Amino acid sequence: MQRACKHCGQQLTVHDLAKSKTVSMETDRKESGLKGFRFRCYNCPQCGYEDLFVDVLHLHGEDLAGYERRREQLDGAVRDVHEPMVEVSLVEGPCRETGGGFHSN
């Protein structure tokens, strides 16, 4: 997945991934039992900003309305993040189980 710095537009590469921070956030998320999203943190080599991407994943059996409700809740939480030199973005991701989109119920 192509990602760009939300502050300066620089294309981010695998080399820009903040591996230890990403692993730490993912470990905390999993230990808390939270599902349906994942964290990816990058350090922009051009402007020095930290870009935190929250990939919102489609859950198996989840319909569009359920996904949208969950995404809105996450969006509200993301808007409350006010860290200096940190940009946070929600990104739509595939269904974890199948790699596809929504499932009809």
Side-chain angles (χ1 to χ4, degrees):
M1 174 181 294
Q2 294 281 18
R3 300 186 193 260
C5 176
K6 294 293 284 185
H7 184 256
C8 72
Q10 171 74 28
Q11 288 296 311
L12 301 169
T13 71
V14 68
H15 302 293
D16 303 321
L17 181 68
K19 291 178 187 165
S20 63
K21 191 159 197 172
T22 295
V23 168
S24 177
M25 287 188 291
E26 277 295 288
T27 299
D28 291 346
R29 179 190 63 76
K30 289 175 184 176
E31 287 176 355
S32 298
L34 300 172
K35 297 180 181 181
F37 63 96
R38 68 179 166 223
F39 296 113
R40 296 295 181 260
C41 186
Y42 291 79
N43 293 315
C44 180
Q46 182 166 302
C47 69
Y49 267 69
E50 182 176 283
D51 287 278
L52 175 59
F53 294 91
V54 182
D55 296 338
V56 184
L57 306 171
H58 302 273
L59 296 172
H60 181 72
E62 182 177 51
D63 63 9
L64 180 59
Y67 174 83
E68 288 298 327
R69 272 192 306 276
R70 206 164 43 79
R71 183 179 167 89
E72 286 175 17
Q73 290 171 338
L74 283 170
D75 188 50
V78 164
R79 288 179 194 266
D80 291 339
V81 175
H82 299 289
E83 294 291 326
M85 296 193 66
V86 176
E87 296 284 345
V88 183
S89 304
L90 289 182
V91 180
E92 183 174 338
C95 176
R96 288 199 103 148
E97 289 84 4
T98 66
F102 294 101
H103 298 272
S104 58
N105 291 335

